[in-house]
Each structure stands twice: as structure tokens, then as C-alpha cells.
Amino acid sequence: MQTLEQTSRRNFMKIAAAASGGLFLGFNWTNSSALPVVVDAKSIAAGSINFNSYLSIGTDNIITIVSPNPEIGQGIKTAFPMVVAEELDADWKQVKTVQGNLDTGIFERQVTGGSGAVPHSWERLRKAGATARHLLVEAAAAKWNVPATELTTENGKVLHKTSGKSASYGELAEAASKLTAPTEVKLKEEKDFKLIGQSVRNVDNHNIATGKPLFGLDFYKEGMLFALIQRPKAFGLKLKSVDSAAAKAMPGIVDVVTFENSVAVVGKSTWQVKKAKDALKIEYEKAAELESTADHNRIFTQLMDNGEATVRRKDGDVDAAFKGAAKVIKAEYQCPFLPHSPLEPMNFFAHVREDGVELVGPTQTPERARTEVAKLTGIAPEIITVEITRQGGGFGRRLSADFVIEAAHVSKLVKAPVKVVWTREDDMTGGTYRPAVRYRFEAALDKNGTMIGYKLRGVGMNSGNSTREDNFPSGSVDNLLIDSVEHKSPITTGPWRAPITNFLAYAEQSFLDEVAEAAGKDPVAFRLELLEKAKKSPVNAIKYDVDRMIAVIKLAAEKSNWGKKKGVFQGFSVYFSHRSYVAQVGEIVMQKGKPVLKNVIAAVDCGIVINQSGSLQQVRGGVVDGLGHAMYGNMTFKDGAPDQSNFNGFRLIRMNEIPEVDVHFVNNGISPTGLGEPALPPAGGAMANAFYKATKQRLRNQPFVNEEVFKGIS
Amino acid sequence: MALFKLSINNRAYDADVERDTPLLWVLRDNLGLVGTKYGCGIAQCGACTVHLDGKAVRSCVLPVSAVGKAKVTTIEGLSEKGDHPVQKAWDEVDVAQCGYCQAGQIMTAAALLKEKPKPTDEEIVSTMSGNICRCGTYHRIREAVKVAASKTN
Ligand code: FES
Ligand code: FES
């Protein structure tokens, strides 16, 4: 059993061994002012290391960095080392990335979610690279007996131009490891970046394309058993009795165990276990309301008018504004629950023993997983290890720890190493959905078409605050009221890529189009007018950068040739989320009398773009995801049970349904912000607003394909 | 249980499993060939695509007893060094996000190009639309198939 310290050392020693000597730097993720330090082998062996991540330069010229954040497809495992390599002037071909395991002693914020990893670590990664570079230059200066100022670095080498001398980092690594790290290092100017801003391919491409075992579901360990869990078929049911005799008698079955409301079938292979699970005879009883979609619609209507709302933001006097308005516009928008559907379903490996717990699998929150398993087993977190695998998508689902706790539960009961596998049906019907929400928007216009009042009420199913009260247009309207009502439902919900804004952005951007039309204004001009107002006379706190928002709007308008294309129906949408700004123009053309979304032009401000290739993927993928779920995503319920359980009933977007996505990044030199989520929220609005231009019909409910106007079109 | 003799990636394998076990689970659980992925189990997503005598099939709905003497190729055996034109195109175009669907995408594309070395855009889209990519990498999948086609003679 590895202790926490042993694990971190094991990680480090793996690198040390691979590099066979050289320069080792420990650097700190916790504190951006803490400096990287040179680490010597003795202190590692003594376990007295106190740093957060590792960078090593081996005598074999291999540069290794540990990327602590879980990789779920957002490209972090490529982007992080790029930042280090940039400041180091490394030869990218010599850089290796290692996925760090959970180590709270070493890594901080080892979470993938909220598009937060890059903003968090930008400075630290750069300092680590620059410090290593500084030490290598010092080592070369001493070796050649020349002033360090005469030396330059390039492509993994230190060069002395006057004498023509050069040495690779590998050759200098040993000498550099004897030096003390500087207390201050100079970071590059953005204009000198060579690697950052380039297109760098995913570091795992080869392993992915050749089918290497990278994912949690691929993990196997000698003696490991497989388990499938039967969970209640409807939200609101609890377990009454289990007859597992038939299941237990089936080939390959080792045990059937029950805990809480779950029945786990454990055996030698997934298929055998699946068949035995189907042979379970289980009775359930009602523990809470068994809600159907029809109930939700009724509850929405009731709470919209009579719910006890929590005020989220209040500016000015809305009542007076609406009383004195020349025109009032009002509309409601609604979205259903959505499963996350990562293509790799939930799964986790656990081996619970008396002397510790071994956990392996795909999780976006390894630390939470460990804390929860410690609580469940009573085993100290220090002797619980978490190995993070590559993950076949997350979309927020892997932020929860339920699937890790279950695996530990089963392993504890059967006293064996177990991998719990979820079938697609288990995954889709297993809960933690994007909450269903209904919004009511109201706007008051004066006789000049200026928006003098704005109201938004969100009613959501287990949604917490279903609004984002400080986002645009807050700050640009004198009189504003934003509140929310929550219905507590037995149907479980959780964060879903771009939580809340994944639907709110579309609803708001579509509504603002309705208001612009009522005001007789062009949608782009209308938004710019509001932002000018927010800039000149802001109403209370503004939490977004008005200039950056204006810049993406203008860029999208320019790149799409807004309003000037013949035969093309354009729809505009802009949103600020997760610290980034994205504007999108959807373009619909009529084909055989049907409106078809042909293009989406996206203008994106996420600060400095680290990896062009990866960033382009995130934006395109975000648009495709946003459109796909707006168009088709629908999860409905009957008596607490989901009506959809696999991709036959739950429709995901496919290649023949995507528009072209044309992406333009704003180049403003600002420190990078997140990109895993921000491109998704505006997509539905760009589509819906273009659709209105083409058909004069508003799409107010998701999924769009179920809207009356859409019948016969898709 | 019954013993099945399988030819996979030009190698002989024995699997002692029940007749109705889908080839997918034989590959993954019994033979340790985990490159072939499980996504839905009902022939909807294409993650489990393998070649049966060169043709793309969905191994999640193919009982092992139906394989017979057919030659099975999985992603691990598509090429010896991972240098099949489709695999190379996938790297060149930098297709993968999470990567989970990509083995199935690659196997589907390779079978298409085997049958039609120069597919039209429509043929590419209609064939590849059978495979789901939850990360939405469709633009690059389409591009990579074209790149691979341009490099195959
Ligand atoms: S797993 Fe076979 S098609 Fe989805
Ligand atoms: S790359 Fe993630 S599912 Fe396709």
C-alpha cells in the first residue's frame, strides 16, 4: 500500500528514473509568488519534499512535466506543458507529459471544471519554465566561462553566438542541478512567444489512434471482478425486497450484494454480470413523489406566478418603469432535463482493504472522491490513493463522486478488487441531470425604444439559482429585477457543461432579439447601445468587461458581414461565461423550402490562445454541443422514470447535422481564460435568432425539433 | 459456455464464453483488447466498430457465435505501427478531443476507404454519420477522412 507521501515520491521517482539524472525542479501550484526550487535526490528519498509539481530535464534530453488536472478532452495535457516549454525554449519534440495522480500535498485545484485550470496555472507554469531556463543558461555560462548575458536559448539548446558554442539542455542538466534557483526570473513578452499560439497536436494522439488502454473502462487488474448495479428504476422509489437467487446461480456470478437502494451483481465479466442483473427480481416502494414531465409543466406554471422567489439582483424601480413604459414585451422559455452522455459511461475501480483503498478511474474531482470514500469506509484519506485515467468526456458528470463511492461500497462488501461499470442505460437513467428550467422575461421600452426596465424570473428543478444575475444585460438597464424559484424534485441534478448558462444564454439572447425587434432596432446595434450605456453610466456592479464584450460583438459582425448577405438569414448571440467572451452569428439558408443552418461564425475572446489547434476544437465542439442539445436533447419522465435510456431514444447530433463553424480569436494579449465551456452557451441563441429571421417564428422551447414550427422541417 | 476459436488481427485466440456474448465483450473482458470501445451496446454510436473480413461491423451486437471463421480486425491490428493512412490522418488533422469515440471512427473510415478509396463528400458524411462523437469533433473527422483518401492510392 502506498501512503500519500510514497505516492508522490513514486510519481517523482518514475520521472527521475526515466530521465536518468539531470535537473529536477519542484514548483508550487498553490501560490503564484512561490518560486520553483531545485530538488536533490536525497530530499526526495527522505520524503521531505515540499512542492507542488515537477519539471525534470534528463541528461537524455527528455523534458518531463506532470500535468495534475484530469484530462477529459479539454486538451489540458497538451496546453500545460506548452506553457512550460515556451518559457524554457524547449524543443517540443523532447517534451513528455505525465498525468499526475491525486496528491493534495503536491497539487492544488486538481479539478477539471468551470474552465478554470488554465487561468489558475498560467503564471506558475511560466515561472517554472523560466527558472529552469535560467539555471541552464547559468550552467552554460560557468562551463564556457562567458557572461550569461551573452547566451541565448533556442530549441532545447543554450547558444553562445560569438564563439559558436552550443550545448543541449540534457548536457547541461547535471551542472544546472547543482545551482540554486533564482529568486526572480524574467518572463517572456507575448510577442516573443514561439510555441504558445501555435497549433500543437494532442499529446495522446498516437495512443488514441492505436487503441491503447487509456480510459477508466480499459483499466484491468489481476483478480479484478466486474460489477453492475441495479438502481431504482424511477426517482422517488426505494428498495423493498430483492430476490437474487436466479441471478446468483448464473455462470460467472460471484456475489450479489445490497446497499442503500442499490443491488450490485458481481462476477467475472461484464456480459455475464449484465445478464444476471436482468434476472434480478426486485420490488420497490414509493419514498417520494413520482414526478412526470406533465407534473413539471404544471409546477413551472404554478411557481412562475405564485412561487416564493429569492431576489438575486434589484436595480432601480422596476414597477415604476413598467408602469410608465411605452411598450412591454414578455416571453417564456423552457428547457428539459438533460443527461450528460459522455461517450465513456461512468465506471470506477476500487479495492478496499483494511490497510488502505486503491481507486482508479475517470473523475473530474479526485479529491472529493477520496474524501467521500474515506467517509464511507472509515479509512484515513492518507492511505487512499486515486489514480486518474484519461476520461471519455465529462461535461460535468464526473464532478460528482457517486460512482466512486458505489465502487468502494461494492469492493468493501465483496472484499475484492472491483470495477463498477455502468451500461449506457444505467448512465442515462442514473440522474444528476442538467435541471429543467423555465424563464420568464419582461422588458419595458420607452417611446424611443430604450430598454428602461428588465425582469427575469427563473423557475428550476433542483437548479439552485437558475439565473446569472450579474451577467449582461445587468448594468445596462436602470430598472432591473432578477429572481429565482426552485422546486425540490426527487430527480437528481448536477452541473452540466456551462451550468445554467447552457440554457439561460439562449433564452436571454433570443429574448433580447424580441426586444430589439419591438424597439425597431437592429439586434447588433441594440446590444451595442446597451453596452455603451453600461460603459458610460453603469447601473450598480458590473462583473463583465464591457469593452471585451463590445469587441467580440464587433468582430463577429465584421467577420459575418452582418446584415449584408443576400439570401442568408443571420441570427446574433453573445455571451460572457467562465471569464471568456463569445459572440456567434448563425446563418440559415433555405434549401428546398426548408431552413438549414449552414454556418456559425464565432468571435472568441479567451485572452491569449495557448494552443490554436486545441482551442479551435473547443470552440467548434462547444458550438456543436450547444446546437445539438438545443435542437434534439430531450429527457422526459413518467412516474419518476426517464423515458429515454439510450441513444435510440435520446438523440445526439451527428455529422450530417452540423453547420460549418468559422472561428476568430480576439488577439488582445490578456492572460488566458477558460475555453472548455464558453463557446457553448451562445450557440442556441444564434440558431434560434436566425431561424426567426428565416421563418418569423420564435423557438421558445428546447428541444427545437419538438416545436410545432419545426414539424416537417427536421 | 463454449469454446470459440477466433482469428483476430492475424492471430489465433480461444475464448471460453457463452454463445450470446457480444464480440465486443469477448475482446474487452476475455482477450484484453480494450481498444474497441463500449458506448451504447445497441448499434447506435459506432464506438465498438471492428472489421469482419474487412467490413465495418458493430461488435456490441455481434454474438461471438456468429463470427465463425471470419477474420476480425480491431483498432490494435489496423496496422502494425499505427501508421495506417487513416491513423496518420487522425494525428495530422489532430482530431481527438477526449478520444473515446475515435477508435470506432477510425475503423469506420478505414472500411469506407477500403471499399471506396475516393469517396465523395456525401459518401463520407453519410457513412460517418453513423458514429457519434459526443465531443463534437465532426469537422475534423470529415477532414481527416479526406486527408487519408488523398494519400491512399
Ligand atoms: S457500442 Fe456498439 S454501436 Fe455503440
Ligand atoms: S472525441 Fe470525445 S467522443 Fe469523440
Side-chain angles (χ1 to χ4, degrees):
Chain A
M1 187 65 222
Q2 303 278 337
T3 65
L4 180 68
E5 286 72 32
Q6 281 164 344
T7 317
S8 48
R9 236 178 304 149
R10 181 183 64 179
N11 228 331
F12 189 84
M13 293 313 281
K14 244 200 284 185
I15 299 165
S20 63
L23 170 65
F24 299 93
L25 277 187
F27 59 97
N28 205 318
W29 300 90
T30 324
N31 179 346
S32 59
S33 58
L35 295 160
V37 288
V38 178
V39 186
D40 71 276
K42 264 190 235 123
S43 59
I44 302 165
S48 59
I49 44 171
N50 180 27
F51 48 83
N52 296 54
S53 191
Y54 326 108
L55 161 65
S56 82
I57 300 169
T59 50
D60 57 0
N61 234 352
I62 300 285
I63 295 164
T64 311
I65 101 138
V66 177
S67 176
N69 292 66
E71 171 70 60
I72 56 171
Q74 83 282 41
I76 203 78
K77 205 176 161 190
T78 308
F80 266 24
M82 278 179 75
V83 178
V84 178
E86 175 66 66
E87 291 289 348
L88 182 55
D89 271 337
D91 174 2
W92 179 248
K93 289 194 282 302
Q94 308 278 9
V95 178
K96 284 219 165 79
T97 320
V98 176
Q99 172 72 62
N101 290 334
L102 172 64
D103 209 328
T104 41
I106 297 188
F107 305 126
E108 183 232 1
R109 203 193 178 280
Q110 201 173 358
V111 172
T112 287
S115 303
V118 163
H120 181 84
S121 307
W122 171 243
E123 284 285 315
R124 292 147 231 217
L125 293 163
R126 293 179 71 196
K127 275 188 189 159
T131 302
R133 181 188 165 276
H134 178 99
L135 292 168
L136 293 159
V137 167
E138 290 291 325
K143 186 175 173 190
W144 297 329
N145 202 13
V146 295
T149 47
E150 286 179 15
L151 301 177
T152 56
T153 51
E154 205 179 289
N155 245 343
K157 287 195 181 93
V158 181
L159 309 171
H160 186 234
K161 291 256 160 72
T162 14
S163 66
K165 282 192 179 113
S166 92
S168 73
Y169 286 175
E171 291 169 66
L172 297 164
E174 201 65 61
S177 74
K178 310 237 154 56
L179 304 174
T180 318
T183 49
E184 231 172 89
V185 283
K186 203 165 138 4
L187 300 179
K188 282 188 183 177
E189 308 248 333
E190 195 210 338
K191 66 172 173 37
D192 298 322
F193 285 163
K194 290 192 197 109
L195 190 60
I196 289 175
Q198 300 299 306
S199 271
V200 169
R201 292 179 222 166
N202 187 327
V203 292
D204 274 337
N205 271 353
H206 184 78
N207 290 335
I208 289 167
T210 52
K212 296 287 179 303
L214 299 170
F215 299 92
L217 205 63
D218 304 342
F219 178 80
Y220 183 79
K221 197 175 178 179
E222 208 45 51
M224 178 184 97
L225 298 171
F226 295 82
L228 257 62
I229 294 177
Q230 182 65 58
R231 302 168 190 86
K233 295 210 155 104
F235 295 93
L237 289 180
K238 67 174 191 202
L239 198 59
K240 192 173 163 209
S241 66
V242 187
D243 173 0
S244 59
K248 271 187 182 157
M250 289 173 73
I253 302 308
V254 174
D255 207 350
V256 176
V257 292
T258 300
F259 58 95
E260 292 162 3
N261 287 308
S262 298
V263 184
V265 183
V266 187
K268 301 235 163 81
S269 75
T270 313
W271 186 249
Q272 289 172 319
V273 169
K274 183 181 175 325
K275 285 199 342 190
K277 179 183 155 210
D278 293 341
L280 289 171
K281 292 189 195 76
I282 304 179
E283 275 183 69
Y284 293 100
E285 60 193 348
K286 202 171 139 180
E289 244 2 271
L290 303 180
E291 295 177 354
S292 301
T293 297
D295 298 320
H296 294 144
N297 287 332
R298 183 177 40 77
I299 293 165
F300 276 141
T301 305
Q302 193 195 334
L303 294 184
M304 189 59 83
D305 290 325
N306 303 313
E308 216 175 284
T310 308
V311 173
R312 303 293 174 179
R313 179 167 173 144
K314 197 167 183 286
D315 297 329
D317 182 348
V318 267
D319 288 343
F322 276 82
K323 244 181 237 143
K327 224 183 225 181
V328 170
I329 304 103
K330 186 169 159 180
E332 291 192 2
Y333 288 80
Q334 188 175 319
C335 71
F337 288 94
L338 285 183
H340 299 78
S341 314
L343 206 56
E344 176 190 19
M346 295 305 105
N347 65 87
F348 226 84
F349 169 87
H351 191 188
V352 178
R353 293 176 304 216
E354 265 161 32
D355 60 348
V357 183
E358 185 186 359
L359 301 169
V360 184
T363 168
Q364 287 175 249
T365 51
E367 190 179 353
R368 177 183 299 170
R370 183 173 63 187
T371 310
E372 294 291 333
V373 170
K375 239 189 266 166
L376 170 80
T377 57
I379 292 171
E382 290 74 29
I383 50 171
I384 297 175
T385 60
V386 188
E387 190 177 323
I388 306 163
T389 59
R390 192 179 178 87
Q391 335 207 352
F395 311 103
R397 179 63 183 90
R398 292 185 158 96
L399 288 165
S400 307
D402 57 325
F403 51 93
V404 188
I405 302 168
E406 274 184 346
H409 225 139
V410 179
S411 172
K412 189 179 150 203
L413 290 172
V414 300
K415 298 190 172 49
V418 173
K419 182 164 67 178
V420 173
V421 173
W422 296 49
T423 63
R424 174 57 55 197
E425 288 80 3
D426 295 340
D427 191 279
M428 196 172 281
T429 60
T432 80
Y433 305 120
R434 186 275 297 272
V437 180
R438 184 185 287 179
Y439 292 115
R440 175 184 288 165
F441 295 89
E442 291 166 85
L445 294 174
D446 69 8
K447 60 182 186 324
N448 302 321
T450 301
M451 186 156 72
I452 50 166
Y454 182 86
K455 281 199 266 185
L456 165 62
R457 170 165 295 179
V459 182
M461 305 287 156
N462 295 339
S463 58
N465 175 9
S466 54
T467 73
R468 289 293 176 264
E469 62 275 10
D470 292 325
N471 280 3
F472 181 75
S474 295
S476 71
V477 191
D478 286 330
N479 309 291
L480 174 142
L481 175 65
I482 296 178
D483 59 23
S484 68
V485 188
E486 187 185 20
H487 167 70
K488 290 282 180 203
S489 168
I491 298 168
T492 57
T493 61
W496 195 102
R497 192 180 192 179
I500 301 298
T501 63
N502 60 47
F503 176 66
L504 174 60
Y506 137 79
E508 173 205 294
Q509 288 297 305
S510 184
F511 179 67
L512 285 181
D513 246 44
E514 299 194 42
V515 180
E517 191 188 28
K521 290 175 184 169
D522 170 76
V524 172
F526 178 68
R527 286 170 174 83
L528 289 173
E529 180 190 303
L530 287 170
L531 286 161
E532 281 307 326
K533 151 96 180 154
K535 206 171 152 180
K536 287 207 195 84
S537 44
V539 186
N540 296 330
I542 295 196
K543 302 246 170 95
Y544 51 94
D545 185 317
V546 176
D547 288 323
R548 293 178 76 176
M549 194 126 171
I550 291 175
V552 290
I553 292 177
K554 289 190 170 163
L555 184 63
E558 177 206 319
K559 295 291 177 187
S560 65
N561 209 0
W562 174 255
K564 293 187 198 114
K565 280 186 187 161
K566 285 226 160 62
V568 178
F569 301 95
Q570 294 179 314
F572 202 87
S573 182
V574 60
Y575 212 71
F576 161 69
S577 66
H578 301 281
R579 306 178 193 83
S580 296
Y581 301 78
V582 181
Q584 289 171 13
V585 174
E587 297 191 334
I588 284 181
V589 295
M590 299 305 284
Q591 282 181 345
K592 297 189 190 122
K594 289 180 183 176
V596 179
L597 184 70
K598 288 303 256 186
N599 292 300
V600 173
I601 294 103
V604 181
D605 175 2
C606 57
I608 292 168
V609 172
I610 296 176
N611 184 359
Q612 280 289 340
S613 179
S615 301
L616 186 57
Q617 282 284 68
Q618 288 306 313
V619 177
R620 280 176 167 173
V623 171
V624 168
D625 192 357
L627 278 175
H629 282 92
M631 284 291 294
Y632 312 115
N634 195 21
M635 178 139 243
T636 55
F637 296 84
K638 180 87 189 98
D639 298 329
D643 292 321
Q644 295 76 20
S645 62
N646 205 323
F647 299 138
N648 49 357
F650 187 85
R651 181 170 170 192
L652 287 174
I653 193 166
R654 291 173 184 267
M655 188 188 279
N656 58 343
E657 294 155 340
I658 58 163
E660 297 308 314
V661 181
D662 185 13
V663 184
H664 304 272
F665 291 103
V666 172
N667 193 353
N668 55 16
I670 296 172
S671 291
T673 49
L675 202 50
E677 295 169 296
L680 186 148
M687 157 73 194
N689 291 339
F691 189 85
Y692 177 75
K693 286 252 192 76
T695 65
K696 290 284 157 252
Q697 303 282 341
R698 290 283 171 200
L699 297 170
R700 292 209 183 87
N701 299 290
Q702 289 186 358
F704 297 156
V705 280
N706 285 3
E707 290 282 85
E708 210 43 55
V709 298
F710 236 96
K711 300 254 156 79
I713 293 179
S714 184
Chain B
M1 307 276 271
L3 192 70
F4 293 93
K5 297 203 166 295
L6 301 166
S7 161
I8 303 167
N9 303 331
N10 294 321
R11 236 189 90 181
Y13 286 90
D14 286 345
D16 192 11
V17 294
E18 280 130 273
R19 301 182 58 79
D20 63 349
T21 313
L23 176 62
L24 169 69
W25 295 114
V26 177
L27 292 170
R28 293 188 56 86
D29 290 356
N30 299 85
L31 308 178
L33 292 166
V34 293
T36 306
K37 299 294 187 243
Y38 166 74
C40 68
I42 57 164
Q44 288 287 318
C45 75
C48 65
T49 305
V50 299
H51 296 175
L52 204 65
D53 286 334
K55 292 226 163 27
V57 297
R58 307 217 150 168
S59 64
C60 68
V61 290
L62 180 71
V64 65
S65 52
V67 175
K69 293 211 164 17
K71 283 187 182 311
V72 179
T73 310
T74 70
I75 186 76
E76 290 94 339
L78 184 61
S79 63
E80 245 169 59
K81 297 194 179 125
D83 55 358
H84 184 284
V86 174
Q87 288 169 312
K88 277 168 58 184
W90 244 249
D91 179 40
E92 191 182 321
V93 177
D94 198 24
V95 176
Q97 279 194 36
C98 82
Y100 191 79
C101 72
Q102 302 297 348
Q105 306 276 5
I106 289 170
M107 294 308 281
T108 305
L112 168 69
L113 295 185
K114 192 163 181 198
E115 197 187 306
K116 280 212 171 83
K118 302 284 170 218
T120 63
D121 288 6
E122 288 71 44
E123 283 166 342
I124 293 174
V125 171
S126 78
T127 304
M128 300 310 297
S129 290
N131 287 56
I132 289 172
C133 173
R134 175 64 181 87
C135 298
T137 64
Y138 297 125
H139 296 97
R140 286 193 179 167
I141 292 172
R142 195 176 58 193
E143 190 186 334
V145 178
K146 288 188 202 172
V147 167
S150 73
K151 292 186 177 163
T152 336
N153 297 315

